[in-house]
Amino acid sequence: MIYLDNSATTYPKPPEVRFAVHNAIRSYGFNPGRGGYKQSLTTAQRVYDARETVSAFFHAPSAENVIFTPSCTQALNTVIKGVLTKGDHVVISSLEHNAVARTVHHLQKAGIITYSVADVVIGNDEQTIENFREAINPRTKLFICTQASNVFGFRLPTERLCALAHSYRILFCLDAAQTAGLFRIDMQADGYDFVCCAGHKYLYGPMGIGLLLLGNDMMLAPLTDGGTGSASAELLMPDFYPDRLEAGTLNLPGILGLQAGIQYVRSKNPEHILIKEKKLIRELFRQLSDYRYIRLFADADTIDNAAPVLSFTAEDADSETVVRYLSEKYDIAVRGGLHCAPLAHRMMGTLDSGTVRISPSVFTTSNDIRVLLHSLKKYR
């Protein structure tokens, strides 16, 4: 199989990750923080070591500011529902994933908050920033912004949007589901208040693990209540991190697998990974530009500044038909449809058709792209 759906989840995983997951079950299958015996204490130390690995990679303020979650979606929900209260207003971008859009829409329908969608203007960061500024009102408490579109790869000026938010005393949450492990994220230099990451994408960890990184000392309301192994006599969740936001038993294989994934990415250098993947996408874009029946949603300038993702539509065929053709005829795995991001499709005029999305990984080869191009040429 030629796998080109890495924006959904990276595959294959590095051998180091597979070993770490297996070893976590074999050697560290003890509940950290739930016992005073040496095996439990050793497991707790391994979890703390993983926090330090994450903290160093993202330049978080401390290891305690690293919260392990089941997914990036839950991390985003923790921020949205932990920050916003009755009457608050939030601004999101027109490229947001449903993990953000559905959550704020639900809270608005419930009469708790209001939200505005700031239009992203591709290739014009100044106008995008101005659109965010115009969306601010006296009740605005939070900006939420993806670093790059999961459908089209378009990159947003998130560092400048964060600075804009802070100039109005507004908090900023970065959705790094598609970019953590590819683009530089320096929490202290960039000033992000919250960063939410998917562990199973470009950090090369297993599925079922995510990250919430805290850039300030604000005490979020917990999304989930329960046991933490600390302050157990109290009926309220602890008032310190990470325990306050980590109720229940942690996903130890996921955490240690994620640690191994981050160490792998660091050993390969994220900048080098990004250069390789962009080279593949540029070649794909260059050749697909000559396929008359294909419509691309990028140009040479946006490709250079975007995440390594390419979406297209095919004349007289819906995206799922193309996906089935590639899978059945050539055993090529790509993604078709709306990619859980209807706001982005509405913005680009593809809400009815969806798009076919190509997303390589560190393991994708030039030959994989050549086979894809050959198969698409045969489609017409």
Side-chain angles (χ1 to χ4, degrees), residues 56-249:
F57 188 76
F58 292 100
H59 292 179
S62 72
E64 287 75 19
N65 288 52
V66 173
I67 310 298
F68 292 116
T69 65
S71 63
C72 185
T73 296
Q74 183 144 328
L76 287 162
N77 270 258
T78 300
V79 173
I80 293 166
K81 295 173 182 176
V83 168
L84 300 174
T85 56
K86 181 76 172 179
D88 286 339
H89 174 253
V90 60
V91 181
I92 69 174
S93 86
S94 58
L95 291 174
E96 295 309 308
H97 188 277
N98 272 341
V100 171
R102 281 181 170 172
T103 306
V104 298
H105 188 71
H106 170 77
L107 292 177
Q108 178 167 277
K109 292 285 285 185
I112 299 171
I113 68 160
T114 58
Y115 75 95
S116 299
V117 179
D119 287 334
V120 176
V121 182
I122 306 306
N124 190 339
D125 287 351
E126 298 301 329
Q127 188 58 57
T128 297
I129 292 166
E130 185 58 30
N131 290 344
F132 268 83
R133 187 193 309 277
E134 291 176 358
I136 295 171
N137 72 40
R139 301 305 300 268
T140 305
K141 191 173 185 180
L142 179 68
F143 280 7
I144 310 175
C145 189
T146 184
Q147 194 169 25
S149 168
N150 70 306
V151 185
F152 301 103
F154 300 140
R155 189 170 180 178
L156 282 72
T158 52
E159 296 94 339
R160 295 179 63 189
L161 288 170
C162 180
L164 172 67
H166 289 171
S167 71
Y168 285 86
R169 298 183 181 276
I170 295 168
L171 297 166
F172 188 91
C173 176
L174 181 74
D175 179 358
Q178 296 298 323
T179 55
L182 284 174
F183 291 140
R184 181 196 65 84
I185 298 174
D186 186 325
M187 291 196 68
Q188 297 188 55
D190 300 332
Y192 299 131
D193 297 292
F194 312 102
V195 174
C196 301
C197 306
H200 65 105
K201 297 187 181 184
Y202 297 103
L203 295 174
Y204 290 88
M207 287 182 278
I209 190 68
L211 292 168
L212 168 56
L213 309 175
L214 306 170
N216 59 42
D217 295 328
M218 180 181 181
M219 281 288 115
L220 295 181
L223 184 66
T224 305
D225 297 298
T228 60
S230 59
S232 296
E234 302 296 328
L235 291 179
L236 294 175
M237 290 295 287
D239 61 357
F240 52 87
Y241 293 132
D243 300 40
R244 181 173 179 80
L245 300 178
E246 288 185 348
T249 297

Side-chain angles (χ1 to χ4, degrees), residues 4-33:
L4 294 167
D5 189 24
N6 291 280
S7 288
T9 190
T10 46
Y11 179 87
K13 303 298 182 185
E16 298 91 330
V17 172
R18 299 198 298 270
F19 174 79
V21 171
H22 174 74
N23 195 46
I25 297 170
R26 183 186 64 186
S27 302
Y28 299 101
F30 309 96
N31 207 327

